[in-house]
Short mmCIF file of all heavy atoms in Angstrom, two decimals:
data_model
loop_
_atom_site.label_atom_id
_atom_site.label_comp_id
_atom_site.label_asym_id
_atom_site.label_seq_id
_atom_site.Cartn_x
_atom_site.Cartn_y
_atom_site.Cartn_z
N TYR A 281 89.13 154.47 95.37
CA TYR A 281 89.72 155.82 95.50
C TYR A 281 89.29 156.52 96.80
O TYR A 281 89.29 157.75 96.86
CB TYR A 281 89.32 156.71 94.31
CG TYR A 281 89.94 156.33 93.00
CD1 TYR A 281 89.15 156.11 91.87
CD2 TYR A 281 91.32 156.21 92.85
CE1 TYR A 281 89.71 155.77 90.65
CE2 TYR A 281 91.89 155.87 91.64
CZ TYR A 281 91.09 155.66 90.55
OH TYR A 281 91.64 155.32 89.34
N MET A 336 79.31 168.04 91.44
CA MET A 336 79.31 166.68 90.89
C MET A 336 80.58 165.89 91.18
O MET A 336 80.64 164.70 90.94
CB MET A 336 79.10 166.74 89.40
CG MET A 336 77.66 167.06 89.08
SD MET A 336 77.42 167.42 87.35
CE MET A 336 78.26 168.95 87.19
N SER A 337 81.60 166.56 91.65
CA SER A 337 82.85 165.85 91.94
C SER A 337 83.63 166.64 92.97
O SER A 337 83.33 167.83 93.21
CB SER A 337 83.70 165.72 90.67
OG SER A 337 84.13 167.01 90.26
N GLY A 338 84.62 166.00 93.54
CA GLY A 338 85.47 166.68 94.50
C GLY A 338 86.19 167.85 93.84
O GLY A 338 86.37 168.92 94.43
N THR A 339 86.63 167.64 92.59
CA THR A 339 87.33 168.70 91.87
C THR A 339 86.45 169.95 91.80
O THR A 339 86.90 171.08 92.05
CB THR A 339 87.69 168.21 90.45
OG1 THR A 339 88.54 167.09 90.57
CG2 THR A 339 88.37 169.29 89.63
N GLU A 340 85.19 169.75 91.47
CA GLU A 340 84.27 170.89 91.36
C GLU A 340 84.04 171.57 92.70
O GLU A 340 83.88 172.79 92.76
CB GLU A 340 82.92 170.42 90.82
CG GLU A 340 82.86 170.37 89.34
CD GLU A 340 81.41 170.30 88.86
OE1 GLU A 340 80.48 170.59 89.62
OE2 GLU A 340 81.24 169.93 87.70
N VAL A 342 86.15 171.83 95.10
CA VAL A 342 87.33 172.66 95.37
C VAL A 342 87.29 173.93 94.52
O VAL A 342 87.57 175.03 94.99
CB VAL A 342 88.63 171.85 95.13
CG1 VAL A 342 89.86 172.74 95.19
CG2 VAL A 342 88.74 170.71 96.15
N TYR A 365 97.21 166.93 96.88
CA TYR A 365 96.30 166.75 95.75
C TYR A 365 94.95 167.40 96.07
O TYR A 365 94.44 167.24 97.18
CB TYR A 365 96.09 165.26 95.46
CG TYR A 365 95.28 165.01 94.21
CD1 TYR A 365 95.82 165.25 92.95
CD2 TYR A 365 93.98 164.53 94.28
CE1 TYR A 365 95.08 165.04 91.79
CE2 TYR A 365 93.23 164.32 93.12
CZ TYR A 365 93.79 164.57 91.89
OH TYR A 365 93.05 164.36 90.74
N HIS A 366 94.41 168.13 95.10
CA HIS A 366 93.10 168.74 95.31
C HIS A 366 92.23 168.59 94.06
O HIS A 366 91.42 169.46 93.75
CB HIS A 366 93.26 170.24 95.61
CG HIS A 366 93.96 170.51 96.91
ND1 HIS A 366 93.36 170.31 98.14
CD2 HIS A 366 95.22 170.94 97.17
CE1 HIS A 366 94.21 170.61 99.10
NE2 HIS A 366 95.35 171.00 98.54
N GLY A 367 92.43 167.50 93.31
CA GLY A 367 91.65 167.32 92.10
C GLY A 367 92.43 167.78 90.89
O GLY A 367 93.58 168.22 91.01
N TRP A 368 91.81 167.69 89.74
CA TRP A 368 92.58 167.91 88.51
C TRP A 368 92.31 169.26 87.85
O TRP A 368 92.71 169.49 86.72
CB TRP A 368 92.37 166.75 87.55
CG TRP A 368 90.98 166.58 87.02
CD1 TRP A 368 89.96 165.94 87.66
CD2 TRP A 368 90.46 167.03 85.78
NE1 TRP A 368 88.83 165.97 86.89
CE2 TRP A 368 89.11 166.64 85.71
CE3 TRP A 368 91.00 167.72 84.69
CZ2 TRP A 368 88.30 166.92 84.62
CZ3 TRP A 368 90.19 168.01 83.61
CH2 TRP A 368 88.86 167.60 83.58
N ASN A 411 94.81 169.70 102.54
CA ASN A 411 94.36 168.31 102.42
C ASN A 411 94.94 167.57 103.62
O ASN A 411 96.14 167.31 103.66
CB ASN A 411 94.89 167.71 101.11
CG ASN A 411 94.50 166.25 100.97
OD1 ASN A 411 93.96 165.64 101.90
ND2 ASN A 411 94.78 165.67 99.81
N ASP A 463 90.13 170.58 102.48
CA ASP A 463 89.70 169.70 101.41
C ASP A 463 89.61 168.29 101.99
O ASP A 463 90.61 167.57 102.06
CB ASP A 463 90.70 169.77 100.25
CG ASP A 463 90.35 168.80 99.14
OD1 ASP A 463 89.37 168.04 99.29
OD2 ASP A 463 91.06 168.80 98.12
N GLU A 464 88.39 167.92 102.38
CA GLU A 464 88.18 166.62 103.00
C GLU A 464 87.55 165.64 102.02
O GLU A 464 86.86 164.71 102.42
CB GLU A 464 87.29 166.77 104.22
CG GLU A 464 87.88 167.69 105.27
CD GLU A 464 87.39 167.33 106.65
OE1 GLU A 464 87.23 166.13 106.93
OE2 GLU A 464 87.17 168.25 107.43
N VAL A 465 87.76 165.91 100.74
CA VAL A 465 87.15 165.05 99.73
C VAL A 465 87.60 163.60 99.94
O VAL A 465 86.80 162.67 99.88
CB VAL A 465 87.53 165.54 98.31
CG1 VAL A 465 87.15 164.53 97.25
CG2 VAL A 465 86.86 166.88 98.03
N PHE A 466 88.87 163.42 100.24
CA PHE A 466 89.37 162.06 100.41
C PHE A 466 89.08 161.52 101.82
O PHE A 466 88.58 160.42 101.99
CB PHE A 466 90.88 162.03 100.14
CG PHE A 466 91.43 160.64 100.06
CD1 PHE A 466 91.45 159.97 98.85
CD2 PHE A 466 91.91 159.99 101.17
CE1 PHE A 466 91.92 158.67 98.77
CE2 PHE A 466 92.39 158.70 101.10
CZ PHE A 466 92.40 158.04 99.89
N LYS A 491 83.42 162.05 97.34
CA LYS A 491 83.60 160.59 97.42
C LYS A 491 82.53 159.87 98.22
O LYS A 491 81.41 159.73 97.77
CB LYS A 491 84.99 160.29 97.97
CG LYS A 491 86.10 160.89 97.08
CD LYS A 491 87.39 160.20 97.22
CE LYS A 491 88.51 160.94 96.54
NZ LYS A 491 89.11 160.28 95.41
N ILE A 499 79.84 162.83 93.61
CA ILE A 499 79.44 163.98 94.42
C ILE A 499 80.61 164.91 94.76
O ILE A 499 81.75 164.47 94.83
CB ILE A 499 78.77 163.51 95.75
CG1 ILE A 499 78.08 164.66 96.48
CG2 ILE A 499 79.80 162.88 96.67
CD1 ILE A 499 76.93 165.26 95.75
N1 LIG G 1500 90.54 166.60 96.72
C1 LIG G 1500 91.08 165.51 97.26
C2 LIG G 1500 91.77 165.62 98.58
C3 LIG G 1500 91.04 164.28 96.61
O1 LIG G 1500 91.62 163.21 97.13
C4 LIG G 1500 90.36 164.21 95.36
C5 LIG G 1500 90.26 162.91 94.58
N2 LIG G 1500 91.21 161.98 94.83
C6 LIG G 1500 89.79 165.37 94.84
C7 LIG G 1500 89.88 166.55 95.55
C8 LIG G 1500 89.07 165.35 93.53
O2 LIG G 1500 87.88 164.64 93.64
P1 LIG G 1500 87.20 164.02 92.33
O3 LIG G 1500 88.09 162.94 91.86
O4 LIG G 1500 85.86 163.54 92.80
O5 LIG G 1500 87.09 165.13 91.34
#
Side-chain angles (χ1 to χ4, degrees):
Y281 291 126
M336 286 170 291
S337 66
T339 299
E340 274 197 17
V342 171
Y365 186 71
H366 294 287
W368 65 277
N411 177 353
D463 176 357
E464 300 208 36
V465 169
F466 190 89
K491 301 204 190 245
I499 192 64

